[in-house]
Amino acid sequence: MSLFITAVHMEPTYGSGHEHIALVRWVDTAADATDTSTRQQMVDFLNRGGQAWVADAQGSVQVGVVNANPPYLRTFADGRYTDNLLSLPRF
């Protein structure tokens, strides 16, 4: 299953780094479903082999897990981390 993350919720709300992403809103276009997941739920989904993406002007960028304590989400493209998640709308 592949998901497209469409928005993020930061905690604290004034947080600006990837480690502050607490919730993600996503859409599964194949199943015509939308939902919200906690950061940990999305980390677990990705670590089990699921895939998540963020759409951008050039196409889409894959979301990965940064193995910090606690782990957090970040996009990467062309072998380097990018800031696509931080460019998404907030909710």
Side-chain angles (χ1 to χ4, degrees):
M1 176 166 69
S2 290
L3 309 175
F4 280 89
I5 296 176
T6 59
V8 296
H9 177 78
M10 310 296 270
E11 288 184 12
T13 55
Y14 57 82
S16 61
H18 290 91
E19 63 277 6
H20 297 119
I21 297 172
L23 300 168
V24 295
R25 186 171 292 152
W26 52 265
V27 60
D28 178 351
T29 55
D32 193 30
T34 61
D35 206 347
T36 300
S37 296
T38 65
R39 172 182 50 210
Q40 189 60 54
Q41 288 171 325
M42 187 57 64
V43 164
D44 292 344
F45 170 76
L46 295 172
N47 284 339
R48 287 191 311 269
Q51 293 184 337
W53 305 84
V54 174
D56 69 6
Q58 281 71 18
S60 57
V61 180
Q62 192 166 16
V63 177
V65 175
V66 176
N67 292 313
N69 188 17
Y72 60 91
L73 305 170
R74 191 150 186 192
T75 51
F76 59 91
D78 300 324
R80 63 180 179 83
Y81 286 110
T82 60
D83 293 336
N84 299 69
L85 283 167
L86 297 178
S87 299
L88 292 173
R90 306 291 198 260
F91 70 96

